[in-house]
Amino acid sequence: MKKQLLGLAALLAASVFSASVAGAQEREVHVYNWSDYIDETILTDFTKETGIKVVYDVFDSNEVVETKLLAGGSGYDVVVPTGPFLARQIQAGVFQKLDKSKLPNLVNMWPQVSDRLAKYDPGNQYAVNYMWGTTGIGINVDKVKKALGDNVPLDSWDVLFKPENAKKLKSCGINILDASDETFAIAMNYIGKNPDSKDTKDLEAGGKVYQAIRPYAKTFNSSAYINDLANGDICITIGWSGDIVQAKTRAEKANNGVNIDFIIPKEGTYMWFDNLAIPADAKNVAEAHEFINYLMKPEVIAKASNYVQYANGNLASQKFVDKEVLGNPNIYPPEDVVKRLFTISPYGPKEQRVLNRVWTQIKTGK
Amino acid sequence: MAASSDTAPKTNAKTTGDDGGHSAGLSRWLVVAIPYLWLAIFFVAPFLIIFKISLSDTAIAIPPYTPVFEGFGAIGDFVSQLDFENYVFLTDDPLYIEAYISSLKIALVSTVLLLIVGYPMALAMARASSTIRPTLVMLVILPFWTSFLIRVYAWIGILKPDGLLTLLLHAIGLMGPDDQVQIFRTDTAVYIGMVYSYLPFMVLPLYSALEKMDHSLIEAANDLGCPPWKAFWKITFPLSLPGVIAGSMICFIPITGEFVIPDLLGGADTLMIGKTLWTEFFGNRDWPLASAVAVVLLVLLVVPIMVFQNQQKKVA
């Protein structure tokens, strides 16, 4: 045991030493991004081109990122928060304004996306879009049709939110995305309320949609559902566009006869944006700008989109994006579908408490 | 904070140091001061910080609460902004009370299960020949060589519907090929994870109590015609009681606040205070309320700790 400790101490000392040596010579950028969210060759290419070493770290929930940023001294130079989180973090003073003179590739950005992003970041001063997508329904087409009949319309939230449908889908497995801010907006929109409402009554009414189908839901998660859907363990889920497309790809590769589709329901759904921003206490500000500027190169961000199967906010990149990705209406939805998508503003502390209180009640089935 | 608590042993040491020579005084001073200093830095100071945050209000800022301590100049203003609002909120909402009760229930059931599984193990180890005892103790400690997190993850691989347990039951024909084990993401999985993870903490105190026991007492009982089962209840069990209490406390206290096991193995309906605390801290960004939840949890656990201390004193 003692020997082990000594070994550990030596290792630790060595790594501290090498880090301090590296600091003297090498330029670094510390990036904190969502898991499975980049083609890693982009990082090695960036290092080759600029000599800047990328220290890449991943997370799987906005909440974890936010807590690290609010505690201060996170040590990251580039982070990737989603819209409403970005807005609140800007308000808390977490980020620094981007130096646009160091970001010449901004000309490539897509005004339609930047304008929507301005709802969270007025004037686009703090962040540039990385990827965007929608939250819709992922289904195992054959199993859902078997449970509900061939003629069931699949283009509506009814397929999941009507208790009589959910009851029939119970045996083949329902997952509900564990992201309360989005799921409530979707439910409020479904019952004809304003999806951006922060009124307690509206939030509780949105909660009732889930309470009604709670007895039939199998799981509440926002990462394991990709595999569950691909393996046929669940047949329907609320999910993020790229995740469902990934599940479809995995099922096709496994050749297991699972036929998956992603649906943007006709009632409309939530449109989200993941964005690159620089914390106020970042140590490598110049390198962070270089990294963000590199990701705005059309051919680079197109490579990322081709890999992760999400749309990006870079208009010039579209001629480099694969036809299967650009032509997929679930990834790059057509104009009339985009009109039905909505965004939401951040929740205040009291509203967030009501929201998560109702959500916990739903999840625990109390 | 740290300064005020280590002055107490310092003055003590000075008076004793005068009678007993310089070096003896110094070493005695060190012996007394180090544990106090440890306690002050790693328990009292963090607790006071948490307690202070629990009296604050949330804010959209870094750090996400207000007021923030800014020196003694503005201390009056600082103190006037603190209140017990968060504690009132805790009692208002049945969620927290249910979560505390559910955690205590899970901890109690797990501890009883641990005793049932751990006692025979400890007894067998204590009765084993003295040549293999060190090996047996080593085997109990061995799981610690792998990360706790990885061991809990391994249980996912065993318990999930298409996992190793299902495969095993299919192979030996106890389960039809179309059936699957439905344990993963239920309370049963949580209990399995708890018993597995905490077993060494139960077995080792039991073993050390049982090992010290004088075996001739049992021989005497048997010679006098006492049946083995009765001898166990009349002699072995009462003598092992300090080990039973120590093991139970060491397991019960951390299980009550456990987060990792219910999060990884439990279902959406597994309600435990560790998960509630996570939601308050991360989901709601409500550090003050999360701190209040933590303080109440600490107070709840002080009761069993005091029972434990009392028992230790009796033994000593």
Side-chain angles (χ1 to χ4, degrees):
Chain A
M1 191 64 212
K2 219 171 218 172
K3 224 176 213 172
Q4 218 182 14
L5 273 178
L6 265 175
L8 205 73
L11 206 75
L12 215 70
S15 67
V16 167
F17 179 69
S18 65
S20 63
V21 169
Q25 304 164 340
E26 263 178 44
R27 296 175 72 205
E28 282 187 341
V29 60
H30 292 250
V31 180
Y32 199 30
N33 196 357
W34 291 82
S35 54
D36 297 321
Y37 213 30
I38 201 162
D39 181 340
E40 301 217 347
T41 59
I42 291 173
L43 305 177
T44 47
D45 289 350
F46 174 72
T47 307
K48 258 183 230 155
E49 208 175 300
T50 60
I52 298 171
K53 187 179 153 201
V54 183
V55 182
Y56 197 77
D57 201 0
V58 297
F59 57 84
D60 76 344
S61 86
N62 268 307
E63 286 79 8
V64 171
V65 184
E66 182 157 85
T67 303
K68 280 197 186 184
L69 292 171
L70 290 179
S74 67
Y76 296 111
D77 303 312
V78 177
V79 293
V80 191
T82 309
F85 288 84
L86 173 75
R88 191 167 40 230
Q89 288 154 13
I90 290 173
Q91 198 188 335
V94 166
F95 298 117
Q96 54 180 283
K97 283 187 185 165
L98 299 172
D99 181 351
K100 293 190 178 174
S101 68
K102 289 181 182 161
L103 302 171
N105 289 336
L106 271 173
V107 295
N108 298 326
M109 296 310 283
W110 193 357
Q112 197 184 328
V113 171
S114 305
D115 290 349
R116 289 204 184 212
L117 183 57
K119 178 168 185 177
Y120 304 111
D121 171 20
N124 298 109
Q125 297 183 82
Y126 291 91
V128 294
N129 181 252
Y130 176 60
M131 298 282 165
W132 60 272
T134 52
T135 307
I137 310 175
I139 60 165
N140 181 327
V141 181
D142 305 327
K143 279 196 180 173
V144 169
K145 283 198 169 164
K146 196 178 156 204
L148 300 179
D150 280 338
N151 299 325
V152 65
L154 295 175
D155 62 343
S156 162
W157 284 110
D158 284 345
V159 73
L160 176 63
F161 285 160
K162 273 204 173 152
E164 62 262 35
N165 287 342
K167 195 174 180 179
K168 289 178 194 153
L169 293 168
K170 184 188 180 187
S171 58
C172 67
I174 297 173
N175 175 64
I176 294 172
L177 193 71
D178 193 4
S180 51
D181 47 345
E182 298 179 22
T183 50
F184 273 83
I186 287 168
M188 286 191 288
N189 180 63
Y190 171 70
I191 54 173
K193 308 243 185 234
N194 175 9
D196 204 10
S197 172
K198 304 288 186 263
D199 188 75
T200 303
K201 276 201 188 110
D202 290 349
L203 289 171
E204 281 171 350
K208 288 220 171 73
V209 172
Y210 295 100
Q211 251 140 9
I213 61 166
R214 173 66 183 95
Y216 316 118
K218 185 177 181 183
T219 48
F220 285 77
N221 70 57
S222 39
S223 51
Y225 76 94
I226 305 179
N227 264 333
D228 290 348
L229 190 62
N231 295 338
D233 290 339
I234 56 169
C235 64
I236 189 162
T237 179
I238 301 180
W240 291 311
S241 45
D243 284 0
I244 308 297
V245 177
Q246 274 182 33
K248 189 181 170 73
T249 315
R250 281 184 205 177
E252 278 162 6
K253 270 187 195 153
N255 207 5
N256 58 4
V258 173
N259 176 17
I260 291 165
D261 206 357
F262 178 72
I263 295 157
I264 298 178
K266 63 177 183 211
E267 294 91 348
T269 191
Y270 176 67
M271 183 186 196
W272 49 259
F273 304 89
D274 287 340
N275 317 289
L276 303 158
I278 306 177
D281 58 1
K283 289 193 185 70
N284 307 298
V285 178
E287 288 81 358
H289 279 93
E290 273 187 65
F291 184 75
I292 292 174
N293 196 45
Y294 183 77
L295 283 183
M296 285 192 292
K297 278 189 176 180
E299 57 276 24
V300 171
I301 194 70
K303 195 175 176 186
S305 275
N306 291 338
Y307 183 85
V308 301
Q309 315 250 318
Y310 277 110
N312 63 57
N314 192 308
L315 189 60
S317 77
Q318 292 186 3
K319 60 175 178 279
F320 300 100
V321 175
D322 289 347
K323 278 207 180 68
E324 302 87 80
V325 176
L326 191 66
N328 186 337
N330 294 327
I331 300 177
Y332 280 92
E335 200 58 42
D336 60 312
V337 176
V338 172
K339 281 199 190 111
R340 286 184 270 131
L341 303 177
F342 54 81
T343 53
I344 54 169
S345 49
Y347 290 86
K350 290 262 146 66
E351 298 150 351
Q352 189 88 46
R353 192 181 262 183
V354 172
L355 179 80
N356 281 333
R357 179 69 187 80
V358 179
W359 191 236
T360 306
Q361 248 175 349
I362 294 166
K363 282 200 287 182
T364 53
K366 303 270 168 187
Chain B
M1 182 37 255
S4 67
S5 75
D6 75 356
T7 45
K10 207 184 268 176
T11 44
N12 254 338
K14 210 156 206 175
T15 45
T16 51
D18 286 340
D19 331 302
H22 188 69
S23 68
L26 187 72
S27 60
R28 185 180 272 188
W29 181 85
L30 272 175
V31 167
V32 179
I34 289 172
Y36 272 101
L37 205 65
W38 175 271
L39 212 65
I41 295 173
F42 295 108
F43 179 75
V44 180
F47 175 76
L48 286 178
I49 292 170
I50 294 289
F51 185 64
K52 186 256 131 184
I53 297 176
S54 77
L55 304 179
S56 313
D57 291 318
T58 50
I60 299 183
I62 313 174
Y65 53 83
T66 180
V68 178
F69 184 65
E70 278 159 344
F72 288 98
I75 191 136
D77 191 33
F78 171 75
V79 171
S80 72
Q81 288 183 57
L82 299 174
D83 57 56
F84 285 90
E85 188 194 15
N86 292 308
Y87 292 91
V88 176
F89 187 84
L90 280 188
T91 57
D92 274 356
D93 193 325
L95 168 77
Y96 303 100
I97 297 162
E98 276 169 27
Y100 283 120
I101 291 174
S102 164
S103 296
L104 291 172
K105 191 199 100 192
I106 290 178
L108 190 72
V109 174
S110 303
T111 308
V112 171
L113 291 174
L114 277 160
L115 263 177
I116 294 171
V117 177
Y119 203 99
M121 275 178 74
L123 196 62
M125 282 166 66
R127 299 272 165 89
S129 87
S130 59
T131 48
I132 64 162
R133 265 187 233 162
T135 317
L136 292 175
V137 172
M138 194 66 211
L139 285 173
V140 171
I141 300 172
L142 206 62
F144 290 121
W145 288 30
T146 314
S147 154
F148 166 71
L149 203 58
I150 290 171
R151 283 182 281 132
V152 177
Y153 258 102
W155 276 103
I156 298 180
I158 296 170
L159 297 177
K160 66 178 183 180
D162 54 347
L164 294 172
L165 186 60
T166 302
L167 290 178
L168 178 77
L169 292 176
H170 284 173
I172 58 176
L174 274 178
M175 197 182 234
D178 295 330
D179 292 331
Q180 288 182 324
V181 178
Q182 300 295 342
I183 293 180
F184 182 46
R185 299 229 162 273
T186 64
D187 282 2
T188 312
V190 174
Y191 286 124
I192 292 173
M194 296 284 192
V195 170
Y196 167 76
S197 303
Y198 285 93
L199 197 56
F201 298 104
M202 181 58 93
V203 170
L204 292 177
L206 282 174
Y207 167 75
S208 85
L210 287 165
E211 196 210 11
K212 275 185 260 169
M213 215 182 87
D214 187 352
H215 194 67
S216 57
L217 291 171
I218 300 284
E219 281 165 13
N222 288 343
D223 286 349
L224 296 171
C226 183
W229 187 240
K230 206 171 172 191
F232 172 79
W233 279 116
K234 291 263 176 196
I235 301 164
T236 314
F237 190 74
L239 283 173
S240 69
L241 216 52
V244 171
I245 290 175
S248 300
M249 289 301 132
I250 291 170
C251 294
F252 182 83
I253 293 164
I255 289 176
T256 310
E258 184 60 56
F259 168 72
V260 173
I261 296 171
D263 193 53
L264 291 179
L265 299 177
D269 54 355
T270 307
L271 187 62
M272 282 193 81
I273 202 69
K275 275 173 94 176
T276 310
L277 217 148
W278 196 96
T279 312
E280 288 304 336
F281 192 69
F282 289 93
N284 295 350
R285 285 172 307 283
D286 196 335
W287 293 21
L289 191 68
S291 303
V293 171
V295 170
V296 172
L297 180 64
L298 188 91
V299 171
L300 274 180
L301 292 179
V302 159
V303 178
I305 292 170
M306 277 164 61
V307 172
F308 176 53
Q309 288 287 8
N310 231 357
Q311 184 63 31
Q312 293 290 83
K313 259 183 217 151
K314 264 189 219 159
V315 173

Coordinates of all heavy atoms in Angstrom, one line a residue, chain A residues 105-132:
Chain A
N105 N -13.9 34.7 -39.6 CA -14.8 33.7 -40.2 C -16.3 33.9 -39.8 O -17.1 33.2 -40.3 CB -14.4 32.3 -39.8 CG -13.1 31.9 -40.5 OD1 -12.8 32.5 -41.6 ND2 -12.3 31.0 -40.0
L106 N -16.5 35.0 -39.0 CA -17.9 35.3 -38.6 C -18.8 35.5 -39.9 O -20.0 35.3 -39.8 CB -18.0 36.5 -37.7 CG -17.9 36.3 -36.2 CD1 -17.8 37.6 -35.5 CD2 -19.1 35.5 -35.7
V107 N -18.2 35.9 -41.0 CA -18.9 36.2 -42.2 C -19.6 35.0 -42.7 O -20.6 35.1 -43.5 CB -18.0 36.8 -43.3 CG1 -17.5 38.2 -42.9 CG2 -16.9 35.8 -43.7
N108 N -19.1 33.8 -42.3 CA -19.7 32.5 -42.8 C -21.0 32.2 -42.1 O -21.7 31.2 -42.5 CB -18.7 31.4 -42.6 CG -17.4 31.6 -43.4 OD1 -17.5 32.2 -44.5 ND2 -16.3 31.2 -42.8
M109 N -21.3 32.8 -41.0 CA -22.4 32.4 -40.2 C -23.8 32.6 -40.9 O -23.9 33.4 -41.8 CB -22.4 33.1 -38.8 CG -21.2 32.7 -38.0 SD -20.9 30.9 -37.8 CE -22.1 30.5 -36.6
W110 N -24.8 31.9 -40.4 CA -26.1 31.8 -41.0 C -27.0 32.8 -40.3 O -27.4 32.6 -39.1 CB -26.7 30.4 -40.9 CG -27.8 30.1 -41.7 CD1 -28.6 30.9 -42.5 CD2 -28.5 28.8 -41.7 NE1 -29.6 30.2 -43.1 CE2 -29.6 28.9 -42.6 CE3 -28.2 27.5 -41.1 CZ2 -30.4 27.8 -42.9 CZ3 -29.1 26.5 -41.4 CH2 -30.1 26.6 -42.3
P111 N -27.4 33.9 -40.9 CA -28.2 35.0 -40.2 C -29.4 34.4 -39.6 O -29.8 34.9 -38.5 CB -28.5 36.0 -41.4 CG -27.5 35.7 -42.4 CD -27.1 34.3 -42.3
Q112 N -30.1 33.5 -40.2 CA -31.3 32.9 -39.7 C -31.1 32.3 -38.3 O -31.9 32.4 -37.4 CB -31.8 31.9 -40.6 CG -33.3 31.5 -40.4 CD -33.7 30.4 -41.3 OE1 -33.2 30.2 -42.4 NE2 -34.6 29.5 -40.8
V113 N -29.9 31.7 -38.1 CA -29.6 31.1 -36.8 C -29.1 32.1 -35.8 O -29.5 32.2 -34.7 CB -28.5 29.9 -37.0 CG1 -28.0 29.5 -35.7 CG2 -29.1 28.8 -37.8
S114 N -28.2 33.0 -36.3 CA -27.7 34.1 -35.5 C -28.8 34.9 -34.9 O -28.8 35.3 -33.7 CB -26.7 34.9 -36.2 OG -25.7 34.1 -36.8
D115 N -29.8 35.2 -35.7 CA -30.9 36.1 -35.3 C -31.7 35.4 -34.2 O -32.1 36.0 -33.2 CB -31.9 36.4 -36.4 CG -31.3 37.3 -37.4 OD1 -30.2 37.9 -37.1 OD2 -31.8 37.5 -38.5
R116 N -31.9 34.1 -34.3 CA -32.7 33.4 -33.2 C -31.8 33.3 -32.0 O -32.3 33.3 -30.9 CB -33.0 32.0 -33.7 CG -34.1 32.0 -34.8 CD -34.8 30.7 -34.8 NE -35.8 30.6 -35.9 CZ -37.0 30.0 -35.8 NH1 -37.3 29.3 -34.7 NH2 -37.8 30.0 -36.8
L117 N -30.5 33.1 -32.2 CA -29.6 33.0 -31.0 C -29.6 34.3 -30.3 O -29.3 34.4 -29.0 CB -28.2 32.7 -31.5 CG -27.1 32.4 -30.5 CD1 -27.5 31.4 -29.5 CD2 -25.8 32.0 -31.2
A118 N -29.8 35.5 -31.0 CA -29.8 36.8 -30.3 C -30.8 36.9 -29.2 O -30.8 37.8 -28.3 CB -30.0 37.9 -31.4
K119 N -31.8 36.0 -29.2 CA -32.8 36.0 -28.1 C -32.1 35.7 -26.8 O -32.5 36.2 -25.7 CB -33.9 34.9 -28.4 CG -34.9 34.8 -27.3 CD -36.1 33.9 -27.8 CE -37.2 33.9 -26.7 NZ -38.3 33.2 -27.1
Y120 N -31.1 34.9 -26.9 CA -30.4 34.5 -25.6 C -29.1 35.4 -25.4 O -28.7 35.6 -24.3 CB -29.9 33.1 -25.7 CG -31.0 32.1 -26.0 CD1 -31.1 31.4 -27.2 CD2 -31.9 31.9 -25.0 CE1 -32.1 30.5 -27.4 CE2 -33.0 31.0 -25.2 CZ -33.0 30.3 -26.4 OH -34.1 29.4 -26.7
D121 N -28.6 35.9 -26.5 CA -27.4 36.7 -26.5 C -27.6 37.9 -27.3 O -27.2 38.0 -28.5 CB -26.2 35.8 -27.0 CG -24.9 36.6 -27.2 OD1 -24.8 37.7 -26.6 OD2 -24.1 36.1 -28.0
P122 N -28.3 39.0 -26.8 CA -28.6 40.1 -27.6 C -27.4 40.7 -28.3 O -26.4 41.0 -27.6 CB -29.2 41.1 -26.5 CG -29.7 40.2 -25.4 CD -28.7 39.1 -25.4
G123 N -27.5 40.9 -29.6 CA -26.4 41.5 -30.3 C -25.3 40.5 -30.7 O -24.3 40.9 -31.2
N124 N -25.5 39.2 -30.4 CA -24.5 38.2 -30.6 C -23.1 38.6 -30.1 O -22.1 38.4 -30.8 CB -24.5 37.8 -32.1 CG -25.8 37.2 -32.6 OD1 -26.5 37.9 -33.4 ND2 -26.1 36.0 -32.2
Q125 N -23.1 39.1 -28.9 CA -21.8 39.6 -28.4 C -20.9 38.6 -27.7 O -19.7 38.7 -27.7 CB -22.1 40.7 -27.4 CG -22.8 41.9 -27.9 CD -23.0 43.0 -26.9 OE1 -22.1 43.7 -26.6 NE2 -24.1 43.0 -26.2
Y126 N -21.6 37.5 -27.2 CA -20.8 36.6 -26.3 C -20.6 35.2 -26.9 O -19.7 34.5 -26.4 CB -21.5 36.4 -25.0 CG -21.5 37.6 -24.1 CD1 -22.6 38.6 -24.2 CD2 -20.5 37.8 -23.2 CE1 -22.6 39.7 -23.3 CE2 -20.5 38.9 -22.3 CZ -21.6 39.9 -22.4 OH -21.5 41.0 -21.6
A127 N -21.4 34.8 -27.9 CA -21.3 33.5 -28.4 C -21.6 33.3 -29.9 O -22.2 34.2 -30.5 CB -22.4 32.6 -27.6
V128 N -21.0 32.2 -30.4 CA -21.3 31.9 -31.8 C -21.9 30.5 -31.8 O -21.5 29.6 -31.0 CB -20.1 32.0 -32.8 CG1 -19.7 33.4 -32.9 CG2 -19.0 31.1 -32.3
N129 N -22.9 30.2 -32.7 CA -23.5 28.9 -32.7 C -22.5 27.8 -33.2 O -21.7 28.0 -34.1 CB -24.7 28.9 -33.6 CG -25.4 27.6 -33.7 OD1 -25.4 26.9 -34.6 ND2 -26.0 27.2 -32.5
Y130 N -22.6 26.7 -32.5 CA -21.9 25.5 -32.9 C -22.8 24.5 -33.7 O -22.6 24.3 -34.9 CB -21.3 24.8 -31.7 CG -20.5 23.5 -32.0 CD1 -19.4 23.5 -32.8 CD2 -20.9 22.3 -31.4 CE1 -18.7 22.4 -33.0 CE2 -20.2 21.2 -31.6 CZ -19.1 21.2 -32.5 OH -18.4 20.0 -32.7
M131 N -23.8 24.0 -33.0 CA -24.8 23.1 -33.7 C -26.2 23.5 -33.2 O -26.3 24.2 -32.1 CB -24.5 21.7 -33.3 CG -23.2 21.1 -33.7 SD -23.2 20.7 -35.4 CE -21.4 20.5 -35.7
W132 N -27.2 23.2 -33.9 CA -28.5 23.4 -33.5 C -29.4 22.2 -33.9 O -29.0 21.4 -34.8 CB -29.1 24.7 -34.0 CG -29.2 24.8 -35.5 CD1 -28.2 25.3 -36.3 CD2 -30.3 24.5 -36.3 NE1 -28.6 25.2 -37.6 CE2 -29.9 24.8 -37.6 CE3 -31.6 24.0 -36.1 CZ2 -30.8 24.5 -38.7 CZ3 -32.4 23.8 -37.2 CH2 -32.0 24.1 -38.5

